[in-house]
Amino acid sequence: MECSFFSSKSMPMSEIAHMDKTYSTHFSSFRRLVDVKSTSQLCFSRGGYPRASYSSSPNNTHVPKKAFDSVDQEKLGAGYLLYQINRTNSSLFLSNRRILNAFDDEYGGVIVDSERLPENPNVFASMLSFSVSHWKAKEKKGIWLKLPVEKSDLVPVAIKEGFEYHHAEKGYVMLTYWLPEGPSMLPGNASHQVGVGGFVINDKNEVLVVQEKYCAPEFEGLWKIPTGFIVESEEIFTGAVREVKEETGIDTEFVEVVAFRHVHNVAFEKSDLFFICMLKPLSTQIMVDDHEIQAAKWMPLVEFVQQPLIQEDSMFKKVIDICIARLGKRYCGLSVHQLASRFDGKISSLYYNVVDSQNTNCIGN
């Protein structure tokens, strides 16, 4: 077996005398690891680059990939290892010009393996730069680089290389790099937040309402329906049921989505989708969540509608009118149906209304 070490720069003649000792020292731990008997010899490769060669014992010892991965690469002095192994000989090229571990996405892009990133920022910088050049040559499209919190010191390195922020979560930041010329075609960060409100009315024609503990001064004293945001991977209908339960302690059953609102440039300049859901109460005893809610009660529908803030707001008033129309069977909302799609192979929730054509009144389904 022959193992050759190449430096990335030419070396002054004054340093060549020390090379044999230096490479022998760096290589000793690797030699002990794989149990290769070798003798060193100083020579030159084409172009004047110094090379230290090692010849193995006659039994043609083969070094497994696992052995290469287990070498302390920083102790070898120049970074990461490139290797080439066959049945007759092996060449170990010491270089920090190694491609980052990654895999292709279905759109011609690259997703970097966040679990196999180098620890050293200097090594990462060199590998990242070389990887970007490599992927450009391969005509890849976009690069997705996910950096976990514990490797946040790599973020400035990536930004310096030309990566841009895409989004961040509690445990990581996602960076992207568009390789082709022209504007980026990578999808942007999530553009919307999704909220739900539960319109719950009992057999006494009373609406379940709350007063929030924290609200703008102009909304102080307003009795409103329970509202909140759905969480990741949560359905609209289950989110509405959960929010009502958390704020008031009332168990409910989803009936329909009666309306939804779409508005832009709200929190953090994101758009907002808000779904008003008709819910059927399954319990009556209120237990207030005192972290968010000041008070909660069953309020007569007429009294609820007559609140000045409801009457003076065209959108709120319209929502209440729709809910009242639904109670009078003059309006049909959207019920949820679970359907499978061949496009993604997943079960989806499709919201639509089903009206009995022989009945002029919408009774809902």
Side-chain angles (χ1 to χ4, degrees), residues 49-153:
Y49 287 83
R51 181 180 70 182
S53 298
Y54 291 81
S55 300
S56 69
S57 56
N59 59 2
N60 288 324
T61 304
H62 298 284
V63 182
K65 178 180 181 295
K66 182 177 180 180
F68 284 165
D69 289 341
S70 64
V71 176
D72 187 342
Q73 294 166 340
E74 291 188 10
K75 287 183 179 179
L76 290 176
Y80 279 69
L81 301 172
L82 294 175
Y83 47 83
Q84 179 183 1
I85 303 176
N86 55 45
R87 300 184 66 87
T88 58
N89 61 75
S90 301
S91 297
L92 179 65
F93 299 94
L94 189 61
S95 174
N96 56 11
R97 298 290 183 176
R98 183 183 177 186
I99 305 299
L100 289 168
N101 291 290
F103 50 92
D104 295 339
D105 64 22
E106 57 185 311
Y107 304 104
V110 176
I111 301 174
V112 178
D113 189 347
S114 60
E115 297 183 356
R116 301 180 66 184
L117 295 170
E119 299 287 345
N120 188 305
N122 293 328
V123 174
F124 173 71
S126 180
M127 292 178 68
L128 183 63
S129 178
F130 187 67
S131 298
V132 169
S133 299
H134 172 77
W135 290 324
K136 279 184 179 179
K138 293 292 185 179
E139 297 184 346
K140 296 298 181 181
K141 303 297 184 183
I143 306 173
W144 296 88
L145 176 61
K146 180 180 179 181
L147 296 178
V149 170
E150 58 269 21
K151 293 186 178 178
S152 58
D153 56 337

Side-chain angles (χ1 to χ4, degrees), residues 11 13 64 96 100 103 107 116 181 216 222 268 329 361:
M11 185 174 295
M13 292 299 295
N96 56 11
L100 289 168
F103 50 92
Y107 304 104
R116 301 180 66 184
E181 295 291 334
L222 173 66
F268 307 105
K329 298 182 180 180
N361 292 324

Side-chain angles (χ1 to χ4, degrees), residues 34-51:
V34 300
D35 194 25
V36 178
K37 297 179 180 179
S38 60
T39 58
S40 62
Q41 180 181 358
L42 182 64
C43 58
F44 290 90
S45 63
R46 181 176 298 177
Y49 287 83
R51 181 180 70 182

Side-chain angles (χ1 to χ4, degrees), residues 161-176:
E161 183 61 34
F163 280 76
E164 297 178 344
Y165 291 109
H166 187 268
H167 70 274
E169 296 290 345
K170 291 177 64 176
Y172 71 88
V173 60
M174 180 68 76
L175 303 168
T176 60

Side-chain angles (χ1 to χ4, degrees), residues 225-362:
I225 63 175
T227 60
F229 293 105
I230 65 171
V231 297
E232 187 176 356
S233 300
E234 185 177 40
E235 298 283 355
I236 292 170
F237 68 94
T238 56
V241 169
R242 175 188 54 77
E243 280 292 342
V244 170
K245 176 68 173 179
E246 289 178 357
E247 293 189 359
T248 68
I250 298 295
D251 294 307
T252 60
E253 179 184 356
F254 174 81
V255 180
E256 291 173 347
V257 171
V258 294
F260 68 89
R261 180 207 66 178
H262 193 199
V263 66
H264 307 287
N265 297 318
V266 191
F268 307 105
E269 301 180 356
K270 298 296 183 181
S271 299
D272 180 271
L273 282 168
F274 181 72
F275 293 86
I276 298 95
C277 303
M278 180 78 71
L279 304 177
K280 177 183 177 181
L282 301 178
S283 62
T284 59
Q285 186 65 40
I286 292 176
M287 292 180 289
V288 174
D289 173 19
D290 56 9
H291 293 289
E292 299 182 58
I293 303 303
Q294 183 68 35
K297 67 177 183 179
W298 292 101
M299 188 178 198
L301 178 59
V302 174
E303 185 180 339
F304 173 66
V305 173
Q306 289 176 345
Q307 291 184 97
L309 284 172
I310 297 293
Q311 291 295 317
E312 296 168 3
D313 190 290
S314 59
M315 191 190 68
F316 279 162
K317 189 174 185 303
K318 187 62 178 179
V319 168
I320 300 305
D321 289 344
I322 291 172
C323 291
I324 293 174
R326 176 64 186 87
L327 294 172
K329 298 182 180 180
R330 303 187 307 275
Y331 176 89
C332 189
L334 308 176
S335 54
V336 63
H337 304 266
Q338 304 290 324
L339 299 171
S341 172
R342 292 182 62 183
F343 284 99
D344 55 18
K346 297 181 179 180
I347 300 295
S348 299
S349 295
L350 185 64
Y351 293 80
Y352 60 93
N353 58 31
V354 180
V355 180
D356 186 346
S357 59
Q358 298 182 3
N359 190 338
T360 56
N361 292 324
C362 176

